[in-house]
Amino acid sequence: MEDRAEKMETLLRDILVELGENPDREGLVRSPKRIAAALAFLTSGYNVDVDKLVNGACFTQETTSMVILRDIEFYSLCEHHMLPFFGRCHIGYLPSGHIFGVSKLARLVDVFARRLQLQERLTEQISRAIMDAIQPVGVGVMIEAQHLCMMMRGVEKQHAVMTTSSLLGSFRENPATRQEFLALINRPQP
Ligand SMILES: [Zn+2]
């Protein structure tokens, strides 16, 4: 582990040199260490055992009405540029015998967000994990995000918000369920 951190610091120092910077000046001297630590945190989702998280998150409960958790903020890194994309994730499901602990739902978002990601894949990984964990009648996940790789560089569009959704089970098959989900996540803030 120590080895890996040291190797990262050396590589990051080399990057600073290649960028034309002086890695020994006061402001930068500890930056390779800080960047390595930041990258380790931002990709810490790889080290989380999803099965273990999910196992501790499921509770038996005989309710059948839709559960919604919306506006879960998240920060991720796009795998193409390693620049942040961030926004909000909305989750809904129709339970059938089991519910997913609400804080664990938010934690699940972080576990998949703290990796090198694509927004599309992030959305699907969350919905699939919920489906596998509690086998609900249906799941819907919607993510709205802004991508710094598009805002700071490339097409330089500052206000574009990308929306992705993954609908499984009744959320895909039943238009009324889908409508209920969309209406609940689109309601104005309380
Ligand atoms: Zn990108």
Side-chain angles (χ1 to χ4, degrees):
M1 204 62 193
E2 189 53 39
D3 260 16
R4 205 169 80 177
E6 266 173 42
K7 197 169 173 189
M8 288 263 284
E9 283 171 41
T10 308
L11 292 167
L12 288 160
R13 197 186 138 88
D14 288 348
I15 289 175
L16 289 174
V17 172
E18 290 305 321
L19 291 173
E21 264 292 357
N22 168 14
D24 294 317
R25 70 178 172 84
E26 197 190 336
L28 289 181
V29 81
R30 288 180 50 80
S31 294
K33 202 181 201 51
R34 284 189 290 254
I35 300 167
L39 285 174
F41 175 75
L42 296 174
T43 57
S44 58
Y46 290 121
N47 307 321
V48 177
D49 184 339
V50 176
D51 290 339
K52 208 168 151 190
L53 169 77
V54 159
N55 282 336
C58 305
F59 305 97
T60 307
Q61 187 156 331
E62 293 304 327
T63 55
T64 52
S65 30
M66 192 177 290
V67 177
I68 297 275
L69 185 63
R70 63 174 207 180
D71 296 315
I72 307 163
E73 63 185 280
F74 75 89
Y75 298 87
S76 189
L77 288 176
C78 89
E79 67 182 15
H80 296 144
H81 305 93
M82 281 183 70
L83 285 171
F85 70 96
F86 58 95
R88 287 154 186 244
C89 176
H90 315 292
I91 298 174
Y93 66 90
L94 266 178
S96 74
H98 292 90
I99 54 165
F100 207 99
V102 68
S103 66
K104 296 289 169 86
L105 224 40
R107 178 98 179 91
L108 190 67
V109 173
D110 282 339
V111 165
F112 290 117
R114 288 182 186 148
R115 300 172 183 208
L116 301 187
Q117 271 293 9
L118 295 172
Q119 185 178 330
E120 295 88 336
R121 187 172 62 220
L122 174 61
T123 314
E124 273 207 28
Q125 284 178 330
I126 296 166
S127 65
R128 293 262 166 225
I130 297 167
M131 188 50 107
D132 291 346
I134 55 169
Q135 276 107 43
V137 181
V139 183
V141 175
M142 183 186 278
I143 292 182
E144 301 169 292
Q146 290 183 289
H147 292 247
L148 285 189
C149 63
M150 200 167 127
M151 296 163 76
M152 295 175 72
R153 54 161 295 289
V155 291
E156 295 178 60
K157 293 289 173 252
Q158 309 301 317
H159 303 293
V161 174
M162 181 164 154
T163 302
T164 47
S165 70
S166 171
L167 304 171
L168 303 176
S170 62
F171 281 55
R172 174 175 288 279
E173 288 139 23
N174 185 335
T177 302
R178 187 162 59 234
Q179 273 313 314
E180 185 183 350
F181 172 60
L182 293 174
L184 286 170
I185 64 173
N186 285 324
R187 264 186 357 179
Q189 296 276 2

